[in-house]
Structures are given as C-alpha cells and as structure tokens.
Amino acid sequence: MHDSHTLHNSQSKNLLQNLRILLWDIDGTLMRSTVQGGYKKYFSRTLQKVFGSAGNLDDLVPSGMTDTQIMYEALKSEGLTPERIFERKEELLEVFKTEMATVLAENGEPYEKLAGADEILAATDENPNFVNALLTGNLSVAAQAKLQSIDLWKYFDGAPNAFGEVSHRRNDLATEAGKLFNEKYDFDFKPEQFIVIGDTPNDIACARHFGAKCVAVLTGKNQTREKLAECQPDALIEDLTDTEKLLEIFARL
Ligand SMILES: [Mg+2]
C-alpha cells in the first residue's frame, strides 16, 4: 500500500532514472555567426583591457575550444597561465559582456539559428522524458547574448548549464554539468543518461571523457563527415531538421 507521498516519490524517482539529459553545444550546433571571425573583435578588446595584449588571437582556429581556452592559447606565449585567467574571471566576464555588446551595436555580429533548432528544443522542452541544458565553451555572458538574439535563451534560462568560465578544458565541462544536475535534482544521474550534442571532435571527446552519449551534427564550420565519423559518435546527423528522428535517437541512446 502506498500513501500519496510514497507514490509521488517512486514516480519521480522512476522519471529521473529514465530522464535523458540533453547537453547542447551552441556554435555550429544551434546557431552560427554570419560574420567570419566577428567574435575576434570583442575577444581582442577584452584581452587588451584585462591582460594588456591580444597575443596571437588572430592566428587561432578556435572551433571546439572554450572561450577561456581561446584566451589562454592566444596569450600563453606571453606567459599567461590558466590560473591567472580564472583569478580574474569576474573582471573578464564583465569586460567581455560590455565589449561584446559594444561590437554588436557598432557593426553587429548577426547570428542565425540553425534549421530545426527551435523545433527540437520546443519538442524536448515539453516532453517529460527530456531536459535541456547547455554544455558550451562560451562564457555565460556570451551564450546568453547570442541565444537571446535568436530567441533560444528561453529554453536554457535557469537550467543547470555548464559554461566556458568553468574551465579552459572542454572535458571538464561535462563533469561540471553532471555535478550541477545531481545538485539541482538531488539525484545521482548516470553519465550515460546525458547526451552531448555538438559539431566538433572536441564535443565527442568531452562526452566520452564523462561517459555520456554523443550526437554529432554536421553543421559546424571546418568539419567533415569523415573527421567526425572517425571520433565514433553514437549518432552522426546531417542537421537538426528531422525532429521526429532526433527524438527517436535521443530516446534510443
Ligand atoms: Mg560548436
């Protein structure tokens, strides 16, 4: 015999045990920038203001890097360490937010939603078997500004998102996401309940590092089917346009 409280608890435990947690990458997965290298302007201004130099930022190919990794790579030859970046995290976030807003207001860095992104987020958002969160190398301030501009922030506002200021190593972000979810739901989720959706080998490596599943999507810059297939994601899809098929994949993994 169950009293209503026990029944409620066993129901919710069952739901949590079967929950699929979708961890979304942003750039190349949910959206893309239509200006090549436009982000470099506000990165450069931020680095100059906070550290006095933008180093070799112009030479970097940052696909799949976290924002703090980009900063580190740009300035490591000038002696910058990850420790110094994270010591000044609060200042970095504030300056970055301001510089990004200034650059966007001056000449814009238009973002466009990738096809199907809105539909799959809406479908998973209203399905109790799924929960959406971000696993992104973007700083929180950048992620919010970008997603607000294309009206996708509503799916992630208040979610246990893992952002680029947590670590310069993308692999650490999945571990952080796991921790945040366990805390929020007061439940011990299994790593394989998490599904990372991303467009680069780094996303797949990050999922594997944590023990999560991974869906790779072929809408990123500088990526090929061969390169992503080599990393053996659990599923490799062209884009996000087939909502039904995606729901099936997420449920099956
Ligand atoms: Mg990406």
Side-chain angles (χ1 to χ4, degrees), residues 25-29 64 170 199-200 203:
D25 169 59
I26 295 181
D27 302 293
T29 301
R170 195 175 188 98
D199 67 303
T200 67
D203 296 283

Side-chain angles (χ1 to χ4, degrees), residues 4-73:
S4 65
H5 183 69
T6 317
L7 186 62
H8 171 77
N9 276 345
S10 69
Q11 272 177 337
S12 69
K13 193 171 175 230
N14 192 36
L15 189 64
L16 291 175
Q17 271 170 345
N18 293 304
L19 195 65
R20 287 288 171 277
I21 299 161
L22 308 175
L23 300 176
W24 296 89
D25 169 59
I26 295 181
D27 302 293
T29 301
L30 293 176
M31 53 146 273
R32 72 172 139 230
S33 167
T34 55
V35 179
Q36 181 73 28
Y39 70 94
K40 282 194 174 166
K41 245 182 237 171
Y42 49 81
F43 260 86
S44 169
R45 290 188 195 179
T46 301
L47 289 178
Q48 279 168 9
K49 281 202 171 156
V50 179
F51 298 112
S53 166
N56 62 347
L57 177 71
D58 281 341
D59 306 325
L60 289 182
V61 181
S63 294
M65 285 191 192
T66 68
D67 284 356
T68 44
Q69 186 182 3
I70 295 170
M71 293 173 178
Y72 170 58
E73 294 290 338

Side-chain angles (χ1 to χ4, degrees), residues 13-218:
K13 193 171 175 230
N14 192 36
L15 189 64
L16 291 175
Q17 271 170 345
N18 293 304
L19 195 65
R20 287 288 171 277
I21 299 161
L22 308 175
L23 300 176
W24 296 89
D25 169 59
I26 295 181
D27 302 293
T29 301
L30 293 176
M31 53 146 273
R32 72 172 139 230
S33 167
T34 55
V35 179
Q36 181 73 28
Y39 70 94
K40 282 194 174 166
K41 245 182 237 171
Y42 49 81
F43 260 86
S44 169
R45 290 188 195 179
T46 301
L47 289 178
Q48 279 168 9
K49 281 202 171 156
V50 179
F51 298 112
S53 166
N56 62 347
L57 177 71
D58 281 341
D59 306 325
L60 289 182
V61 181
S63 294
M65 285 191 192
T66 68
D67 284 356
T68 44
Q69 186 182 3
I70 295 170
M71 293 173 178
Y72 170 58
E73 294 290 338
L75 280 166
K76 69 179 177 189
S77 61
E78 298 185 19
L80 185 69
T81 59
E83 290 70 30
R84 270 188 66 212
I85 293 177
F86 292 102
E87 269 165 25
R88 304 184 71 174
K89 187 168 81 177
E90 294 312 315
E91 185 188 353
L92 264 177
L93 286 171
E94 207 179 299
V95 175
F96 194 95
K97 186 179 177 183
T98 308
E99 293 305 325
M100 187 177 177
T102 307
V103 168
L104 294 187
E106 276 170 8
N107 35 22
E109 187 185 351
Y111 302 116
E112 65 181 17
K113 244 182 277 206
L114 285 167
D118 215 334
E119 290 77 3
I120 186 62
L121 288 172
T124 48
D125 191 54
E126 65 179 28
N127 186 325
N129 298 320
F130 298 112
V131 58
N132 292 304
L134 295 167
L135 193 172
T136 172
N138 280 205
L139 297 178
S140 50
V141 290
Q144 185 170 349
K146 288 178 183 178
L147 293 179
Q148 272 174 340
S149 80
I150 51 171
D151 197 28
L152 293 183
W153 179 248
K154 60 190 175 197
Y155 298 114
F156 304 105
D157 194 6
N161 303 308
F163 295 112
E165 63 259 38
V166 165
S167 173
H168 61 297
R169 290 180 296 252
R170 195 175 188 98
N171 281 356
D172 294 344
L173 299 185
T175 312
E176 173 72 8
K179 214 173 78 190
L180 292 173
F181 266 90
N182 287 350
E183 277 165 17
K184 173 162 179 174
Y185 288 85
D186 191 23
F187 187 78
D188 200 7
F189 290 108
K190 293 193 286 288
E192 58 266 31
Q193 288 183 256
F194 294 80
I195 304 173
V196 172
I197 305 108
D199 67 303
T200 67
N202 282 0
D203 296 283
I204 303 170
C206 158
R208 293 294 175 245
H209 178 80
F210 179 58
K213 309 281 182 168
C214 183
V215 175
V217 56
L218 282 161

